[in-house]
Amino acid sequence: MAKDGNAYLSSLRDDRSIYIDGRKVADITTDPSFRNVVETVASLYDFQAGPKNLDLMTFQSPTSGERVNLAWQLPKTYGDLVRRRQAMETWSTLSCGMIGRSPDHVASTLAGFRMGLAAFRDHHPTRAAALESYFQYARDNDLFLSYVIINPQSDKGKSAGEQPDPHLVASVVDEDSGGITIRGAKMLATSGVIANELLISGFQALQAGDEAYAFTAVVPLGAKGLTLMSRRSYEQNATSTFDYPLSSRFDENDAVVHFDDVKIPWDRVFVFKDLRMAQAQWHDTRAHVFQNYQCMVRLMVKLRFLLGVARKIAETNNIINFPQVRDTLGLMAAKVSNIEALVIAMEMKGETFGEFYVPDRSLLCTAQVIAQNTYPEIVEAIRSLSGGGMIMVPSSYADFATPETNAIIHKTQRSPITTSEQRVKLMKLAWDAVGSEFGSRHLQYEMFYSGAPFVTRGNSFRFFDWDSVKGSVERFMSSYDLPKDDLKLTDAAE
């Protein structure tokens, strides 16, 4: 039996401490700030558990024998990787690509760690054993994990240990035979409030003296001393699904996580006060590649959806045959296809990593750099195509129920190809995607979730095969030289 929606909902009823709008959430599954996105995630698990979808979405765990999501599979061939991607692509389509931290994201991170188990063993065999055991546990229970790997913003000119408050950033403050104790904060737990467990780690560079911050561990959301402080809920402020079709259902949420002396057992600690391993876990394994490969698959789905919105706007406004509009849509289509081509290319050009087959790292970094520019360009194009159409919509669905406003809607919201209701419906969807608070958050997210541009471009520089391109230049340059006759003339002149 694969994990279904009911099993997921039951797993959220624990002792988790979530705060929003100055109050503590009693039950995440029924709270108006989160219940719709919880139901959305439950529907993902129901989809994978459906008899018709088991082969598409799941595989048999080698240890439990139960069906679990393909995100936990460690691909050994190109075919394995493509099959795994097809499952991620299908799941992402169910949310129009709007849920960035779906359960297959951190599962991909852990899979990347597990495929790089040798790197963990080189640094600390006991911590490697803990990782191997936990991966099996998470896979066999098909857990939904979120993570926090970024430090709270403070003085960016100083390291974690140099901040005025040594406990601003989560760090190890104690250790004993039972495990470690951590204190401080991390961000940005996207989907954290609706997950089962939380991976705590770091992606930022550390220096000598920062050993207490160099750890990676996993903790249940209901752990004592763990608190998540949610940002504003777009779901709660959505007046209806008609008015806010995306934010009312797909607001995965983000939260600051505070650890008040949270105890974590040793069997859930994978890196401990090891500066080198804190960096090696991302790049000496393929965790960085695998987690961001999932992001590119999801972005591919999301961009296709936005491209469809753009096309429908052009048709609804009857501007589809304008040369400048076709120019815009053609350019948008090329940019969206470019991301899809990079996903396909990084699979076909994949590498063998130990016994596993993983996407090409250089092309993954290329996709990240391009994606940070592509998403805002697509958003801007949708804004240009819609003009004032996204603003002149009725205040809410209730205007259709009032005779006076209903008459005005049908008089002013016109299209040669559809009804007034469908036109308003489309424009409200477009606004929610690119103009609402939800849409603005997605713009910020897509521009920065993989790091600042100088980070992604730095990785592109780091992992590109420079020897190959330089070699081609040098080989060509070696095929010619100064003309010998000219050399003789020069020698004579001298």
Side-chain angles (χ1 to χ4, degrees), residues 344-363:
I344 294 171
M346 69 179 77
E347 293 171 347
M348 295 192 70
K349 197 186 172 188
E351 63 170 327
T352 299
F353 183 74
E355 62 181 305
F356 308 107
Y357 185 87
V358 299
D360 181 76
R361 179 163 55 178
S362 179
L363 286 178

Side-chain angles (χ1 to χ4, degrees), residues 13 66 75-76 83 146 166 219 281 329 405 413 445 486:
R13 299 185 179 103
E66 298 292 337
K76 295 187 177 181
R83 183 186 173 211
S146 177
V219 64
Q281 66 182 326
L329 289 172
T405 52
Q413 299 287 342
Y445 176 85
D486 288 351

Side-chain angles (χ1 to χ4, degrees), residues 231-300:
R231 61 148 166 81
R232 173 182 171 87
S233 169
Y234 309 141
E235 169 185 324
Q236 183 178 9
N237 291 280
T239 52
S240 73
T241 302
F242 182 87
D243 294 312
Y244 295 96
L246 301 174
S247 52
S248 63
R249 292 179 288 179
F250 305 142
D251 182 18
E252 60 192 337
N253 207 270
D254 311 281
V256 172
V257 183
H258 186 258
F259 303 91
D260 185 8
D261 290 357
V262 175
K263 186 69 176 284
I264 305 177
W266 284 114
D267 62 1
R268 286 168 165 264
V269 179
F270 315 140
V271 176
F272 178 65
K273 291 186 175 181
D274 189 330
L275 296 176
R276 291 182 60 196
M277 189 58 208
Q279 293 300 307
Q281 66 182 326
W282 302 109
H283 297 299
D284 289 355
T285 70
R286 287 299 181 268
H288 177 262
V289 173
F290 231 53
Q291 67 181 22
N292 285 296
Y293 166 65
Q294 183 273 342
C295 292
M296 285 301 122
V297 172
R298 177 207 47 87
L299 180 63
M300 175 180 72

Side-chain angles (χ1 to χ4, degrees), residues 289-412:
V289 173
F290 231 53
Q291 67 181 22
N292 285 296
Y293 166 65
Q294 183 273 342
C295 292
M296 285 301 122
V297 172
R298 177 207 47 87
L299 180 63
M300 175 180 72
V301 172
K302 187 177 184 179
L303 289 174
R304 287 175 186 159
F305 177 77
L306 292 177
L307 185 60
V309 170
R311 170 79 190 210
K312 282 190 69 67
I313 289 172
E315 291 177 347
T316 299
N317 287 341
N318 196 25
I319 57 174
I320 188 64
N321 291 317
F322 290 11
Q324 63 270 37
V325 171
R326 286 180 171 259
D327 179 85
T328 296
L329 289 172
L331 181 59
M332 291 174 73
K335 291 177 182 294
V336 172
S337 296
N338 191 29
I339 297 297
E340 182 173 359
L342 283 166
V343 170
I344 294 171
M346 69 179 77
E347 293 171 347
M348 295 192 70
K349 197 186 172 188
E351 63 170 327
T352 299
F353 183 74
E355 62 181 305
F356 308 107
Y357 185 87
V358 299
D360 181 76
R361 179 163 55 178
S362 179
L363 286 178
L364 180 277
C365 293
T366 298
Q368 287 185 292
V369 171
I370 292 174
Q372 286 181 314
N373 290 326
T374 296
Y375 192 83
E377 288 169 351
I378 296 299
V379 167
E380 181 63 25
I382 291 174
R383 286 179 171 274
S384 296
L385 288 170
S386 62
M390 293 190 294
I391 300 174
M392 64 177 284
V393 292
S395 58
S396 80
Y397 72 95
D399 286 323
F400 283 95
T402 303
E404 291 82 2
T405 52
N406 184 60
I408 295 173
I409 290 172
H410 285 86
K411 183 177 181 179
T412 60

Side-chain angles (χ1 to χ4, degrees), residues 111-128:
F113 283 164
R114 175 59 184 81
M115 287 188 288
L117 192 62
F120 286 87
R121 285 174 175 158
D122 288 344
H123 287 264
H124 202 297
T126 304
R127 302 277 63 78

Side-chain angles (χ1 to χ4, degrees), residues 148 150-152 160 165-173 181-187 200-202 206 210-215 257-260:
V148 278
I150 303 297
N151 297 338
D165 179 0
H167 301 303
L168 168 65
V169 178
S171 64
V172 177
V173 295
T181 300
I182 62 173
R183 183 188 306 161
K186 280 281 189 176
M187 59 181 260
I200 312 110
S201 189
L206 298 170
D210 287 340
E211 285 77 9
Y213 304 93
F215 71 94
V257 183
H258 186 258
F259 303 91
D260 185 8

